[in-house]
Amino acid sequence: MIVAANFKTNLTRIETGEYLGELESLVGKIEENVQVRIFPATSSLIAHRGEAVVGTQNAYPAQSGAFTGEIGVVHLEEFGIKSILVGHSERRHIMHESQVDIAKKFDFFKERGFEIIYCIGEPLRTKEQGLEATLEYLDAQFEGIDLEYGRLIVAYEPVWAIGSGLTPTLEEIESVHKALKTRFSAPLLYGGSVKVSNAREIMELPSVDGVLVGSGALRVEDFFTMIQTAREIENQN
Ligand code: PGA
């Protein structure tokens, strides 16, 4: 099970450091079957050693160069960062990253051996058209993406569920995940309004290999509770 926190544009560098310190003291030693990832804001990246692996929410697909406002691989290397989110819906919809941009970024970080959490998700109008339309939309988000990549993790995050407090039904998550799992063998996370109160039922679904949590992870105690839940589920299996 993979339990990942996306801090988005929250938590300063000092707050992120405190969060990580507290989290490590709460989690102690994690069994191999629960992996923890933390994605802080860019200016809060930290060289961290512990059970939680720190990754980046974004980076420009370049070692370094003239890309004002962006960071490149040299900046990630300074913190020992080898994990990146690619294709998050906020980057697709707010920053207008196209599928072509995203596929380029994916390839670049794949060539450098990064773990890639590749995010996909459909908008509400597509969801309302049913499962077939949803899968068609999601398939288009795999264009140019190497689904065989060994360090790939996929996160299914319906756009309408992100930050909204709304979640698909468990049946809806299961049917989308089941269909997606016929397309790749990488671990498949669910994301979108995951919180302490629904994390267990979501992680217990057979086709869910973990969760990507935004606002529900901003309090370290809550995120730790979700890690504990993941441990309990793994120990039952
Ligand atoms: P949310 O965000 O948990 O706040 O809905 C999830 C995400 O965007 O990864």
Side-chain angles (χ1 to χ4, degrees):
M1 197 80 74
I2 299 163
V3 188
N6 174 8
F7 289 171
K8 307 192 178 184
T9 318
N10 297 295
L11 302 192
T12 63
R13 186 173 175 76
I14 289 175
E15 288 165 344
T16 301
E18 286 168 358
Y19 185 110
L20 281 167
E22 216 171 309
L23 185 67
E24 293 295 348
S25 70
L26 287 169
V27 297
K29 181 94 189 78
I30 292 193
E31 309 87 67
E32 293 250 309
N33 49 17
V34 177
Q35 297 177 41
V36 179
R37 300 285 181 274
I38 302 281
F39 295 91
T42 306
S43 68
S44 304
L45 292 177
I46 288 176
H48 177 74
R49 277 198 187 193
E51 294 301 319
V53 172
V54 172
T56 185
Q57 295 171 20
N58 186 45
Y60 197 77
Q63 279 296 120
S64 60
F67 308 104
T68 301
E70 299 285 332
I71 62 166
V73 172
V74 292
H75 305 96
L76 299 175
E77 280 172 348
E78 194 174 17
F79 299 109
I81 285 171
K82 288 293 276 178
S83 179
I84 184 167
L85 296 182
V86 174
H88 190 279
S89 75
E90 284 152 14
R91 298 218 54 91
R92 292 179 191 266
H93 299 290
I94 304 174
M95 314 308 168
H96 305 292
E97 282 186 15
S98 70
Q99 187 59 31
V100 171
D101 298 330
I102 289 167
K104 264 193 213 155
K105 194 179 282 189
F106 185 101
D107 268 353
F108 180 90
F109 286 100
K110 174 189 129 182
E111 275 161 29
R112 280 150 190 85
F114 275 66
E115 173 184 81
I116 299 177
I117 300 200
Y118 184 66
C119 306
I120 56 167
E122 83 289 356
L124 187 58
R125 62 179 180 280
T126 306
K127 178 235 175 346
E128 286 170 348
Q129 288 163 19
L131 181 62
E132 208 176 306
T134 297
L135 292 172
E136 206 176 295
Y137 189 96
L138 298 177
D139 277 337
Q141 296 186 320
F142 291 133
E143 230 161 84
I145 302 299
D146 177 8
L147 292 175
E148 312 270 283
Y149 178 46
R151 297 205 69 202
L152 170 67
I153 297 166
V154 179
Y156 169 55
E157 302 199 297
V159 178
W160 52 273
I162 294 179
S164 63
L166 303 171
T167 48
T169 64
L170 297 176
E171 292 71 28
E172 284 169 336
I173 297 174
E174 188 65 6
S175 55
V176 172
H177 272 225
K178 260 194 183 155
L180 290 175
K181 280 190 167 257
T182 64
R183 290 150 168 81
F184 50 80
S185 58
L188 178 56
L189 315 185
Y190 169 79
S193 294
V194 176
K195 41 190 181 277
V196 170
S197 59
N198 62 13
R200 179 179 296 275
E201 57 188 19
I202 292 172
M203 286 195 279
E204 274 175 348
L205 291 172
S207 63
V208 170
D209 302 310
V211 284
L212 177 54
V213 191
S215 53
L218 290 177
R219 274 172 31 102
V220 67
E221 299 80 10
D222 292 343
F223 189 57
F224 172 63
T225 303
M226 294 185 228
I227 294 168
Q228 285 290 73
T229 303
R231 285 170 160 175
E232 286 164 21
I233 293 170
E234 288 289 2
N235 288 338
Q236 279 159 22
N237 294 338

